[in-house]
Short mmCIF file of all heavy atoms in Angstrom, two decimals:
data_model
loop_
_atom_site.label_atom_id
_atom_site.label_comp_id
_atom_site.label_asym_id
_atom_site.label_seq_id
_atom_site.Cartn_x
_atom_site.Cartn_y
_atom_site.Cartn_z
N PHE A 102 179.61 108.37 42.38
CA PHE A 102 180.14 108.24 41.02
C PHE A 102 180.44 109.63 40.49
O PHE A 102 179.57 110.50 40.51
CB PHE A 102 179.12 107.56 40.10
CG PHE A 102 178.71 106.19 40.57
CD1 PHE A 102 177.58 106.02 41.36
CD2 PHE A 102 179.47 105.08 40.23
CE1 PHE A 102 177.21 104.76 41.82
CE2 PHE A 102 179.10 103.81 40.67
CZ PHE A 102 177.97 103.65 41.47
N LYS A 103 181.65 109.79 39.98
CA LYS A 103 181.99 111.09 39.39
C LYS A 103 181.33 111.19 38.02
O LYS A 103 181.42 110.27 37.22
CB LYS A 103 183.50 111.23 39.25
CG LYS A 103 183.92 112.66 38.94
CD LYS A 103 185.40 112.72 38.68
CE LYS A 103 186.04 113.71 39.62
NZ LYS A 103 187.50 113.68 39.48
N PHE A 104 180.66 112.30 37.78
CA PHE A 104 179.94 112.46 36.52
C PHE A 104 179.97 113.92 36.11
O PHE A 104 179.82 114.82 36.94
CB PHE A 104 178.49 111.99 36.71
CG PHE A 104 177.64 112.13 35.48
CD1 PHE A 104 177.84 111.29 34.38
CD2 PHE A 104 176.65 113.10 35.41
CE1 PHE A 104 177.06 111.43 33.24
CE2 PHE A 104 175.87 113.24 34.26
CZ PHE A 104 176.08 112.40 33.19
N THR A 105 180.18 114.15 34.81
CA THR A 105 180.18 115.52 34.30
C THR A 105 178.86 115.80 33.59
O THR A 105 178.58 115.22 32.55
CB THR A 105 181.34 115.72 33.29
OG1 THR A 105 182.54 115.24 33.91
CG2 THR A 105 181.51 117.18 32.94
N PRO A 106 178.03 116.65 34.16
CA PRO A 106 176.76 116.98 33.51
C PRO A 106 177.00 117.69 32.17
O PRO A 106 178.06 118.31 31.99
CB PRO A 106 176.08 117.92 34.50
CG PRO A 106 176.80 117.75 35.79
CD PRO A 106 178.20 117.37 35.42
N SER A 107 176.04 117.62 31.27
CA SER A 107 176.21 118.29 29.98
C SER A 107 176.19 119.81 30.18
O SER A 107 175.78 120.30 31.22
CB SER A 107 175.12 117.84 29.01
OG SER A 107 173.86 118.06 29.57
N GLY A 108 176.59 120.54 29.17
CA GLY A 108 176.75 121.98 29.32
C GLY A 108 178.14 122.23 29.85
O GLY A 108 179.00 121.37 29.76
N SER A 109 178.35 123.36 30.46
CA SER A 109 179.72 123.66 30.91
C SER A 109 179.86 123.48 32.41
O SER A 109 180.60 124.19 33.08
CB SER A 109 180.10 125.08 30.50
OG SER A 109 179.12 125.98 30.96
N GLN A 110 179.11 122.54 32.97
CA GLN A 110 179.17 122.33 34.41
C GLN A 110 180.35 121.43 34.78
O GLN A 110 180.70 120.52 34.03
CB GLN A 110 177.87 121.67 34.90
CG GLN A 110 176.63 122.50 34.62
CD GLN A 110 175.38 121.75 35.00
OE1 GLN A 110 175.08 121.61 36.17
NE2 GLN A 110 174.67 121.23 34.01
N PRO A 111 180.93 121.68 35.95
CA PRO A 111 182.06 120.83 36.38
C PRO A 111 181.59 119.44 36.82
O PRO A 111 180.42 119.27 37.17
CB PRO A 111 182.62 121.60 37.59
CG PRO A 111 181.48 122.42 38.10
CD PRO A 111 180.61 122.73 36.92
N ALA A 112 182.51 118.49 36.80
CA ALA A 112 182.20 117.14 37.26
C ALA A 112 181.91 117.17 38.75
O ALA A 112 182.52 117.94 39.48
CB ALA A 112 183.38 116.22 36.97
N GLU A 113 180.97 116.36 39.18
CA GLU A 113 180.77 116.18 40.62
C GLU A 113 180.27 114.79 40.91
O GLU A 113 180.05 114.00 39.99
CB GLU A 113 179.89 117.27 41.22
CG GLU A 113 178.50 117.36 40.68
CD GLU A 113 177.70 118.44 41.42
OE1 GLU A 113 177.56 118.33 42.65
OE2 GLU A 113 177.25 119.40 40.77
N PHE A 114 180.08 114.50 42.20
CA PHE A 114 179.70 113.15 42.59
C PHE A 114 178.19 113.01 42.81
O PHE A 114 177.56 113.89 43.37
CB PHE A 114 180.46 112.72 43.85
CG PHE A 114 181.90 112.42 43.57
CD1 PHE A 114 182.86 113.41 43.64
CD2 PHE A 114 182.28 111.14 43.18
CE1 PHE A 114 184.19 113.13 43.35
CE2 PHE A 114 183.60 110.85 42.88
CZ PHE A 114 184.56 111.85 42.97
N PHE A 115 177.67 111.88 42.32
CA PHE A 115 176.26 111.55 42.49
C PHE A 115 176.14 110.14 43.07
O PHE A 115 177.03 109.31 42.85
CB PHE A 115 175.54 111.60 41.14
CG PHE A 115 175.51 112.97 40.51
CD1 PHE A 115 176.55 113.40 39.69
CD2 PHE A 115 174.46 113.84 40.75
CE1 PHE A 115 176.54 114.67 39.11
CE2 PHE A 115 174.44 115.11 40.18
CZ PHE A 115 175.49 115.52 39.36
N ASP A 116 175.05 109.86 43.78
CA ASP A 116 174.86 108.50 44.29
C ASP A 116 174.28 107.61 43.19
O ASP A 116 174.08 108.05 42.06
CB ASP A 116 174.03 108.50 45.58
CG ASP A 116 172.56 108.86 45.36
OD1 ASP A 116 172.11 108.93 44.19
OD2 ASP A 116 171.86 109.08 46.36
N ASP A 117 174.00 106.34 43.53
CA ASP A 117 173.54 105.39 42.53
C ASP A 117 172.16 105.75 41.98
O ASP A 117 171.74 105.26 40.94
CB ASP A 117 173.53 103.96 43.10
CG ASP A 117 172.76 103.86 44.40
OD1 ASP A 117 172.86 104.80 45.22
OD2 ASP A 117 172.06 102.86 44.60
N LYS A 118 171.42 106.64 42.69
CA LYS A 118 170.09 107.05 42.22
C LYS A 118 170.16 108.36 41.44
O LYS A 118 169.13 108.91 41.04
CB LYS A 118 169.15 107.20 43.40
CG LYS A 118 169.18 106.01 44.34
CD LYS A 118 167.80 105.51 44.67
CE LYS A 118 167.78 104.13 45.27
NZ LYS A 118 168.89 103.78 46.16
#
Side-chain angles (χ1 to χ4, degrees):
F102 302 93
K103 193 185 236 174
F104 179 71
T105 310
S107 55
S109 53
Q110 300 174 74
E113 61 177 300
F114 286 90
F115 296 88
D116 70 10
D117 53 322
K118 311 229 164 35

